[in-house]
Amino acid sequence: MRVTRDFLRGRGRDAMSEADKDILERAVDRIDTLPARTIVTRRGDRLRNSTLLLEGAMCRYMDARDGFRQLVALQVPGDFVDLHGYPLHRLDHDVGTLTEARVAVVPHAAIDSIVADHPQLARILWRSTLLDAALHREWIFRIGRLDAAGRIAHFLLETYHRLKATGRGGNGTFELALIQQDLGEACGLTSVHVNRTLRRLREEKLVEAVRGTVTILDESGLARVGEFDPDYLYLEEGPWQAAAA
Amino acid sequence: MRVTRDFLRGRGRDAMSEADKDILERAVDRIDTLPARTIVTRRGDRLRNSTLLLEGAMCRYMDARDGFRQLVALQVPGDFVDLHGYPLHRLDHDVGTLTEARVAVVPHAAIDSIVADHPQLARILWRSTLLDAALHREWIFRIGRLDAAGRIAHFLLETYHRLKATGRGGNGTFELALIQQDLGEACGLTSVHVNRTLRRLREEKLVEAVRGTVTILDESGLARVGEFDPDYLYLEEGPWQAAAA
DNA sequence: CGGAGCGTTGAAGAGCATCAACTGGAGTGG
DNA sequence: CCACTCCAGTTGATGCTCTTCAACGCTCCG
């Protein structure tokens, strides 16, 4: 089975030819396992490799003066976590694991060859970094315009759809390795307020989150609260489209 | 004089060979002038061209249900406003002008040729879209972790540095075509609170913003309030580095 | 000269942060 | 096997930041 099986899965992987998939697969130098809750790369680091997340959860974040951090991205399996480090050379933020993580390491030299010799695959890699940027934009919207309930609803739905696209979760349930503190750091809230807000969402029978498992009770109600529309995830045919058809 | 003169100016343009600059210049199909305060492309639009901003100010934004909008990017001259539309094909947000804008239109077909035949230039275009993503991340941090004064301070310093990199502004002064309402939409604040916060920043002799002109009175003080570090702009040698040397 | 758009200010209140205390479960060592 | 600690979650009390609503002034322009 291919190590890169989940790359762009459910999000345009079909645009890759079998040859492209082989080339990407061969670009992998090695597989690493990273322990939970550790820093992988720091702001300012010069990168020589990029990391494809195979299993587990990672995040990208920035530190504020007061000691709190702001997550700028949650990475799920199939994500090319720091591919943007390839054209940028150095990172503008920290990267860390949330759970133990299995990753494939891809040397930038291998990507150089892809860019030089396989423009079609290069465009797909480029595209994958821009899917990340689309997520960034939605995070700006989420934090800038939604209240606490909306932010959490939106974040949970986003994560649900992303995980579902890779075959993890579905049927309204998924595993989420974030504690309430992390959730707050993702949504610009304190863990205390996350706790109260989750209680409200639970009382309103919209969503439940207990011990790392999220259960969506009322997806359309949650989508209303979070003003959520999965367009920006650029997913392939999904259940909301299938339902409309 | 080259139309694409300001592309990546002050932010890695030197990595482009003269040949690359010529190729990019020839990729321009035509020059358009867009009126102020109009929508250029809408969420969901399929794009066949991308737009290089030559003069003026544009923005990218998303609408919330309550009628307010959230800016996700401010575009200054030299920005390839919607180059991400090339690998993504369709947009996940709206693009509009703030002032009258002069733009260069680049057909995606021309970029196809660049990707196929000029990998070095393609990587530079790729990089330019990731500079945008780095800005997105900093916007997430700004809105998620800073208070009103910090957000405005950070936003003004970011814009100052970006404009300075293209030769516009410097010496602590620059033209900013945003009304207080826009500033609020960029920073996740109401225009009323922007007004009060600007007054405070003025009273503390940090920055003045009157009728489209921003005057930075105390750059280091402002940077402290906004927790601002221009690293993420990936600027070439600038005054803060020159001062350190 | 009247209106529209932007800026400014005041008053009141909602939402979220802060501080603090307590619960329950998991892991650890006696 | 039980005390102990640690960590995540939970809840209460209080106050600040920012929003909301409203009014008014200024400037530009038809």
Side-chain angles (χ1 to χ4, degrees):
Chain A
M1 194 184 65
R2 282 193 170 95
V3 160
T4 59
R5 165 189 59 132
D6 288 337
F7 176 64
L8 287 180
R9 186 168 164 201
R11 300 178 77 188
R13 183 170 175 81
D14 295 351
M16 291 173 74
S17 67
E18 287 305 312
D20 285 343
K21 290 175 185 171
D22 287 340
I23 292 162
L24 182 62
E25 190 76 15
R26 281 198 298 272
V28 174
D29 179 53
R30 64 175 193 277
I31 309 291
D32 277 357
T33 301
L34 309 171
R37 300 272 162 189
T38 51
I39 298 174
V40 178
T41 49
R42 287 181 187 278
R43 182 168 191 154
D45 282 358
R46 296 206 162 266
L47 300 183
R48 304 250 175 284
N49 304 295
S50 282
T51 307
L52 179 66
L53 179 57
L54 304 177
E55 208 58 59
M58 297 175 68
C59 66
R60 306 197 261 150
Y61 62 92
M62 307 172 64
D63 288 303
R65 202 171 25 220
D66 58 13
F68 286 91
R69 62 180 189 176
Q70 173 67 48
L71 297 202
V72 295
L74 173 73
Q75 308 294 166
V76 302
D79 284 352
F80 227 131
V81 178
D82 51 8
L83 180 55
H84 56 280
Y86 168 67
L88 288 180
H89 308 306
R90 64 183 165 84
L91 282 186
D92 50 81
H93 55 270
D94 294 355
V95 179
T97 58
L98 292 168
T99 63
E100 181 176 279
R102 230 163 51 87
V103 299
V105 177
V106 179
H108 286 174
I111 305 177
D112 276 333
S113 308
I114 291 173
V115 171
D117 301 330
H118 305 283
Q120 168 64 16
L121 181 55
R123 192 163 32 225
I124 287 171
L125 292 178
W126 183 359
R127 176 184 162 89
S128 83
T129 61
L130 298 191
L131 293 176
D132 269 12
L135 273 134
H136 287 334
R137 287 189 285 274
E138 199 74 13
W139 284 46
I140 295 173
F141 169 77
R142 175 194 299 154
I143 300 178
R145 282 273 91 88
L146 301 182
D147 64 8
R151 291 183 207 174
I152 291 177
H154 190 287
F155 177 81
L156 292 178
L157 281 172
E158 172 181 300
T159 307
Y160 174 55
H161 280 105
R162 290 176 69 196
L163 285 172
K164 206 168 57 172
T166 71
R168 291 161 180 82
N171 212 6
T173 302
F174 63 102
E175 301 301 311
L176 186 63
L178 273 64
I179 62 176
Q180 293 182 357
Q181 176 74 31
D182 300 328
L183 212 59
E185 287 170 351
C187 295
L189 299 167
T190 60
S191 64
V192 173
H193 203 63
V194 166
N195 184 288
R196 293 188 221 275
T197 307
L198 280 176
R199 173 156 58 97
R200 232 196 70 201
L201 292 174
R202 192 186 329 122
E203 285 167 0
E204 292 175 358
K205 303 212 184 307
L206 293 171
V207 65
E208 258 174 7
V210 271
R211 269 171 293 119
T213 301
V214 178
T215 309
I216 293 172
L217 304 172
D218 176 358
E219 182 167 345
S220 68
L222 207 57
R224 192 170 12 80
V225 170
E227 302 193 21
F228 183 79
D229 175 345
D231 258 12
Y232 72 97
L233 294 174
Y234 295 84
L235 296 164
E236 294 161 9
E237 174 80 6
W240 56 93
Q241 292 161 320
Chain B
M1 194 184 64
R2 282 192 170 96
V3 160
T4 58
R5 165 189 61 131
D6 288 336
F7 175 64
L8 287 180
R9 185 168 163 200
R11 300 179 78 188
R13 184 171 174 81
D14 295 351
M16 290 173 75
S17 67
E18 287 305 312
D20 285 343
K21 290 175 185 171
D22 286 341
I23 291 161
L24 182 62
E25 189 76 15
R26 281 199 298 273
V28 173
D29 180 52
R30 64 174 193 279
I31 310 292
D32 277 357
T33 301
L34 309 171
R37 300 273 162 187
T38 52
I39 299 174
V40 177
T41 48
R42 286 181 188 278
R43 182 168 190 152
D45 282 357
R46 295 205 162 266
L47 300 184
R48 304 251 174 282
N49 303 296
S50 283
T51 306
L52 178 66
L53 180 56
L54 305 178
E55 208 59 58
M58 297 176 68
C59 66
R60 307 197 260 150
Y61 62 93
M62 307 174 63
D63 288 303
R65 203 171 25 223
D66 58 14
F68 287 90
R69 62 179 189 176
Q70 174 67 47
L71 296 202
V72 295
L74 173 72
Q75 308 294 167
V76 301
D79 284 352
F80 226 131
V81 178
D82 52 6
L83 180 56
H84 56 281
Y86 168 67
L88 288 179
H89 307 306
R90 65 184 164 83
L91 282 186
D92 49 81
H93 56 269
D94 294 354
V95 179
T97 57
L98 292 167
T99 63
E100 180 175 279
R102 229 162 52 87
V103 300
V105 177
V106 178
H108 286 175
I111 306 177
D112 276 333
S113 308
I114 291 173
V115 171
D117 302 330
H118 305 283
Q120 168 63 17
L121 180 56
R123 193 163 31 225
I124 286 171
L125 291 178
W126 184 357
R127 176 183 163 91
S128 83
T129 61
L130 297 190
L131 292 176
D132 269 10
L135 272 133
H136 287 335
R137 286 190 286 275
E138 198 75 14
W139 283 47
I140 295 172
F141 169 77
R142 175 195 298 156
I143 300 178
R145 282 273 92 88
L146 301 182
D147 64 8
R151 291 183 208 175
I152 291 177
H154 189 288
F155 177 81
L156 292 179
L157 281 172
E158 172 180 301
T159 307
Y160 173 56
H161 280 105
R162 289 175 71 197
L163 285 172
K164 206 167 56 172
T166 72
R168 291 163 181 81
N171 211 6
T173 302
F174 62 102
E175 300 301 311
L176 186 64
L178 273 64
I179 62 176
Q180 293 182 357
Q181 176 73 32
D182 300 328
L183 243 151
E185 286 170 352
C187 295
L189 299 167
T190 59
S191 63
V192 173
H193 202 61
V194 167
N195 184 288
R196 293 189 222 274
T197 307
L198 280 176
R199 174 155 58 99
R200 231 196 71 201
L201 292 174
R202 193 186 328 121
E203 285 167 1
E204 292 174 358
K205 304 214 182 308
L206 293 171
V207 65
E208 258 174 6
V210 272
R211 268 171 294 117
T213 300
V214 177
T215 309
I216 293 173
L217 303 173
D218 176 359
E219 183 168 344
S220 69
L222 207 58
R224 192 171 11 81
V225 170
E227 302 193 21
F228 183 79
D229 176 344
D231 257 12
Y232 71 97
L233 294 173
Y234 295 84
L235 295 165
E236 294 160 10
E237 174 80 5
W240 57 93
Q241 291 160 319

